[in-house]
Amino acid sequence: MDIVVLAGGLSSERDVSFVTGSNVAKALRENGHRVILMDVFMGRGTEGEDITDWFARSEEVSTQVGAISETAPDLAAVKASREDKSDCFFGPNVIEICRKADIVFMALHGENGENGKVQAAFDLFGIRYTGSDYLGSALAMDKSLAKKVLTAGGVNMPRGFAIKKGIPSKQLPDFPCVVKPCCGGSSIGVSIANNQKEYDKALEEAFRWENNIVVEQYIRGREFSVGVLQGKALPVIEIAPVEGFYDYKNKYKAGSAVETCPAELSQAQTAQMQAQAELAASVLGLDTYARMDFLMDEDGRMYCLEANTLPGMTPTSLIPQEAAAVGLNYNELCEQLIRISMEKYAKRA
């Protein structure tokens, strides 16, 4: 097949997206496909350029990718570096080449890739893509909205409330608490506050990234993640940061966290967490694949933290490790994500 792997964009997870995209593109090429890795914001070439032979020159026209830095990217600098200086989210030739592809593998992460806007645009252009549709993506991406929907659907989540920038909140936190951007990912802008001074600093940090944030009760305990493919949970993985909490640095720097899969839980605990992950995917309408993050406190109570509609596929990412635990290697996982997404479109035809 001819496949575009779409990465980059303008989210705080831009660099992570490139590494996901680079790994996916390599795997799909090894699987025999013609693959173009493309930065959705920068695009390639100039508007109106002849792109008829691009898949024949797929590696030549692909975006070149570096390593993930330990800090989030400077998005203002990214915008300023675009040659045509356009503020259009889709760079030159992105839509055109995606329309020529059999399917687009969505390697985007963060607000501008997982909030449903790209998916909705692709639906209008008749472009097939991997992952959930625009509605499920939008519901899952907004942590405040997702909390309401998931809680109503029977998924246990931490208590919390939302705050809009410039509007004083009438609700006060119970310390310790977690402060995080409403639509961010990779723990960027997330802080743990133990007192009012730390809380004020945490609010300032979170509002650097977004105008809407969420404040939640702090759950002290073990951290887990569960991938879901076509409604069926993968093995549970436990994440134990060597130092601090599972922040941006610990997520992507090798050796910063100890990850155990399958997690050392009782059969009953494993079944309960997997059932909660499957329920969360169902409630949000995530019908192809997703990943749910959990905390379990010292008394064994489980809390779903959030749903990720386009989970990372970097060398240290969680879903590839979970898939490996059931005998599905990285290349096979990428192929399966293509297959189940194509099957979704076949059913609609």
Side-chain angles (χ1 to χ4, degrees):
M1 288 193 292
D2 289 343
I3 301 173
V4 170
V5 175
L6 206 59
L10 290 175
S11 85
S12 55
E13 295 179 84
R14 173 180 171 83
D15 292 349
V16 182
S17 171
F18 278 136
V19 180
T20 281
S22 179
N23 280 273
V24 170
K26 179 177 181 292
L28 292 176
R29 285 177 185 138
E30 290 173 351
N31 291 351
H33 303 291
R34 299 198 301 183
V35 182
I36 294 174
L37 174 61
M38 183 168 288
D39 182 348
V40 65
F41 180 69
M42 292 298 184
R44 181 67 191 244
T46 58
E47 295 293 346
E49 183 176 342
D50 185 1
I51 61 173
T52 54
D53 67 340
W54 274 24
F55 281 104
R57 302 185 295 122
S58 58
E59 294 192 50
E60 175 189 339
V61 300
S62 289
T63 300
Q64 300 304 307
V65 174
I68 300 176
S69 66
E70 292 189 1
T71 58
D74 183 343
L75 298 181
V78 172
K79 291 179 182 179
S81 67
R82 182 158 146 178
E83 288 187 12
D84 66 0
K85 304 303 179 185
S86 171
D87 62 354
C88 179
F89 179 74
F90 294 106
N93 296 310
V94 169
I95 295 298
E96 290 78 7
I97 197 65
C98 286
R99 293 191 70 185
K100 287 184 175 295
D102 293 301
I103 193 168
V104 174
F105 193 108
M106 299 288 278
L108 297 166
H109 299 318
E111 181 178 7
N112 289 307
E114 296 184 68
N115 62 9
K117 292 181 180 180
V118 174
Q119 288 83 350
F122 279 3
D123 286 343
L124 294 175
F125 280 112
I127 296 170
R128 292 182 290 269
Y129 54 88
T130 58
S132 299
D133 65 13
Y134 75 93
L135 183 57
S137 300
L139 285 174
M141 193 66 210
D142 188 313
K143 292 181 176 65
S144 177
L145 183 58
K147 183 184 292 290
K148 294 175 183 177
V149 173
L150 288 171
T151 301
V155 178
N156 192 40
M157 302 192 77
R159 299 187 310 274
F161 57 92
I163 306 177
K164 290 184 178 292
K165 192 172 186 177
I167 302 177
S169 175
K170 296 179 181 179
Q171 294 180 272
L172 298 176
D174 293 323
F175 297 117
C177 66
V178 179
V179 180
K180 55 189 177 183
C182 195
C183 295
S186 288
S187 299
I188 294 173
V190 177
S191 304
I192 298 173
N194 296 287
N195 51 54
Q196 187 65 45
K197 184 178 180 180
E198 292 181 0
Y199 180 63
D200 292 339
K201 185 177 180 181
L203 293 179
E204 181 180 352
E205 172 61 19
F207 279 132
R208 282 183 56 215
W209 300 100
E210 291 180 29
N211 291 329
N212 298 288
I213 65 174
V214 171
V215 179
E216 289 182 337
Q217 69 176 123
Y218 173 69
I219 308 297
R220 187 182 304 277
R222 299 162 66 188
E223 187 161 356
F224 302 88
S225 189
V226 186
V228 179
L229 296 182
Q230 285 186 298
K232 181 66 176 177
L234 290 168
V236 179
I237 187 169
E238 180 171 5
I239 309 103
V242 174
E243 185 177 327
F245 72 101
Y246 200 45
D247 59 7
Y248 185 86
K249 179 179 178 181
N250 284 332
K251 276 177 163 60
Y252 302 113
K253 184 178 179 181
S256 295
V258 177
E259 294 158 354
T260 306
C261 185
E264 295 179 357
L265 295 168
S266 69
Q267 285 187 330
Q269 289 172 325
T270 297
Q272 181 184 353
M273 193 173 293
Q274 289 178 317
Q276 282 278 291
E278 293 172 357
L279 176 60
S282 176
V283 168
L284 293 173
L286 309 180
D287 57 359
T288 50
Y289 70 104
R291 195 194 78 226
M292 314 303 161
D293 297 335
F294 291 87
L295 280 171
M296 185 173 73
D297 68 16
E298 296 171 349
D299 296 320
R301 290 186 292 262
M302 299 176 189
Y303 300 83
C304 181
L305 299 179
E306 62 180 293
N308 301 271
T309 57
L310 294 176
M313 296 281 284
T314 74
T316 58
S317 292
L318 304 177
I319 273 206
Q321 295 184 59
E322 295 174 43
V326 292
L328 201 63
N329 68 35
Y330 189 93
N331 286 29
E332 291 168 338
L333 174 61
C334 291
E335 197 68 27
Q336 184 160 328
L337 296 181
I338 292 287
R339 178 184 60 78
I340 62 179
S341 298
M342 291 294 283
E343 287 176 354
K344 177 178 67 174
Y345 287 103
K347 292 176 181 177
R348 294 177 184 175

